[in-house]
Amino acid sequence: MAVGQMTTVMADVIKQARSNIPETIALPTRWPQMYESFISQNASSVSQVESALRSLTYIIPGGFRESEIASESLHSGVQLLSLYHDSLLARAISRLPPSLPRPLPTLHNRYTKFWTAKSSLYKRVALILQTIQYTELLCEMAAKRKGDKIRWRVVVILEMVKALCRLLMMRLTNSRPLVSPPLPDREVDPRTVEGGNTETTQWDGMQTPPVDEVGSHALSWTMPRTGLSLPNLPDSTEITEYLLTKVLTADDIKAPKQLLHRMNTVQGQIAESMWILRPVIYALAMQRWQSDKKSWRPWLLGVSLELAARQLAKKDLAERVAGGLRGLTGLEREELKKRGWSMAWWAMRGTFYENVTKNWIHSITGSLKGKPLLDMVGGVIEDYEYLWTEYYFSTATL
């Protein structure tokens, strides 16, 4: 009798286990969907974790120089994971109903989102370019362990691949200037904006601003005959600020592809091509004179090319665009400003850094030693100095 009951129980267990086998086998196929759902539901928390990890890698760039590859691997991994999360959030937001109000996108996001949606090749090339930029320093660190010759060979190859990607993107966008970064920035989930605390949101111009009970009598007027109280009108400055946020500019009503003017002149295309090929030429020059660190030729060649490309581009825009430089779109002005600020990185490269900037940094870190908190700041600067001195891609801007 007991044997029969045990046999029945075992048969039930085996039957239940067999029924769960298909579900267990299918579980790994649902993991990507489950992960995407988790990321979309916790976008703000994920962004905070990414920012914390990224800040950590910035603070300790080379604290343990013998483990620099491990530190840079963490930084590259966070950047690549963030890039993957951007794609998941963009996919989740694209599936939302069109009736759901969305925040006004930036000009950069409008432009890059248009080309990634229109051309799958542009999206793939931009993704390759972004991936290389996130891992190039790690590749240089790994190559340096095999010698300087291998290191500079890897640097030149990576710069050539990036230049090829940029030239191809310029062709795919019908000879328009490139923007940085080539992919859209992370979008804000409209569900998180809509679900925010209404008490802390900005006054929308349609409702009476909330007031406390103590000051309610001071902000209202009581009618003498009926005894009813009417609230005062909101401050005129609040009304003006709200209306200004609703004003459409010329860039807001333009088609996304019109946010950048086409370079339909030879001068403009030469200027953009010079700007794209400048890192390749500079890397080749650094490889050529790697044994002579005191040579100014690579640095002067790189600076001259970038200055010439910038001035030629500004001259072309002034002649080609209606209204000259004042007629540029907001995205064009933003990109020109980025390229202008990137010129400052030439103070951290090559012979100029070895002969000028390095001595200035040493004087600053020396003055911070022995002082509370400031000594720690000086240590971080010294760690970055190691990267600036030893690695090409630590100061690369393209």
Side-chain angles (χ1 to χ4, degrees), residues 366-384:
S367 63
L368 296 179
K369 287 184 178 180
K371 298 180 180 179
L373 296 179
L374 296 178
D375 192 10
M376 183 173 62
V377 176
V380 174
I381 296 177
E382 288 179 349
D383 291 337
Y384 270 107

Side-chain angles (χ1 to χ4, degrees), residues 122-187:
Y122 175 92
K123 184 177 181 179
R124 287 195 294 268
V125 172
L127 187 60
I128 292 172
L129 176 61
Q130 200 84 342
T131 303
I132 293 175
Q133 288 179 319
Y134 287 158
T135 58
E136 58 190 7
L137 182 55
L138 179 62
C139 294
E140 184 184 1
M141 287 180 175
K144 189 179 179 182
R145 295 197 170 189
K146 297 183 179 180
D148 277 343
K149 288 186 178 180
I150 302 296
R151 170 203 171 197
W152 282 112
R153 192 175 302 167
V154 169
V155 167
V156 171
I157 290 174
L158 289 176
E159 289 290 12
M160 285 182 175
V161 173
K162 290 194 298 181
L164 182 62
C165 291
R166 292 189 175 98
L167 291 172
L168 185 56
M169 285 193 296
M170 187 175 72
R171 178 68 181 87
L172 292 172
T173 56
N174 298 323
S175 299
R176 285 180 170 85
L178 302 179
V179 294
S180 179
L183 291 173
D185 295 325
R186 179 169 296 183
E187 299 183 61

Side-chain angles (χ1 to χ4, degrees), residues 98-318:
S99 58
L100 188 65
R102 288 168 166 78
L104 188 66
T106 62
L107 298 178
H108 174 270
N109 271 22
R110 284 182 59 204
Y111 180 80
T112 51
K113 195 173 181 179
F114 169 79
W115 286 110
T116 52
K118 181 179 179 180
S119 173
S120 59
L121 181 57
Y122 175 92
K123 184 177 181 179
R124 287 195 294 268
V125 172
L127 187 60
I128 292 172
L129 176 61
Q130 200 84 342
T131 303
I132 293 175
Q133 288 179 319
Y134 287 158
T135 58
E136 58 190 7
L137 182 55
L138 179 62
C139 294
E140 184 184 1
M141 287 180 175
K144 189 179 179 182
R145 295 197 170 189
K146 297 183 179 180
D148 277 343
K149 288 186 178 180
I150 302 296
R151 170 203 171 197
W152 282 112
R153 192 175 302 167
V154 169
V155 167
V156 171
I157 290 174
L158 289 176
E159 289 290 12
M160 285 182 175
V161 173
K162 290 194 298 181
L164 182 62
C165 291
R166 292 189 175 98
L167 291 172
L168 185 56
M169 285 193 296
M170 187 175 72
R171 178 68 181 87
L172 292 172
T173 56
N174 298 323
S175 299
R176 285 180 170 85
L178 302 179
V179 294
S180 179
L183 291 173
D185 295 325
R186 179 169 296 183
E187 299 183 61
V188 178
D189 193 338
R191 293 171 296 183
T192 60
V193 178
E194 187 182 30
N197 188 2
T198 56
E199 295 181 357
T200 59
T201 55
Q202 188 179 5
W203 177 69
D204 60 359
M206 301 301 292
Q207 300 175 353
T208 303
V211 295
D212 55 9
E213 295 180 358
V214 177
S216 60
H217 297 290
L219 297 177
S220 62
W221 178 72
T222 303
M223 292 183 287
R225 186 172 64 84
T226 61
L228 300 176
S229 58
L230 295 176
N232 287 344
L233 291 175
D235 189 3
S236 60
T237 57
E238 294 181 355
I239 301 175
T240 303
E241 290 176 358
Y242 171 77
L243 292 176
L244 286 176
T245 61
K246 302 300 179 182
V247 173
L248 291 177
T249 63
D251 291 338
D252 292 330
I253 61 177
K254 284 182 179 179
K257 66 178 181 180
Q258 294 178 349
L259 294 175
L260 289 180
H261 291 91
R262 289 186 60 187
M263 298 177 296
N264 49 15
T265 62
V266 177
Q267 180 177 241
Q269 294 181 8
I270 291 176
E272 190 70 9
S273 299
M274 286 176 60
W275 180 77
I276 292 173
L277 295 175
R278 190 276 305 163
V280 179
I281 298 173
Y282 177 65
L284 287 171
M286 290 291 290
Q287 183 186 32
R288 169 67 177 82
W289 287 289
Q290 60 178 298
S291 59
D292 186 9
K293 291 188 176 181
K294 294 184 179 181
S295 176
W296 284 85
R297 285 171 287 188
W299 190 87
L300 291 174
L301 180 60
V303 171
S304 301
L305 282 173
E306 189 155 346
L307 279 174
R310 179 174 175 80
Q311 294 303 318
L312 199 60
K314 292 176 69 173
K315 181 181 177 182
D316 176 69
L317 290 171

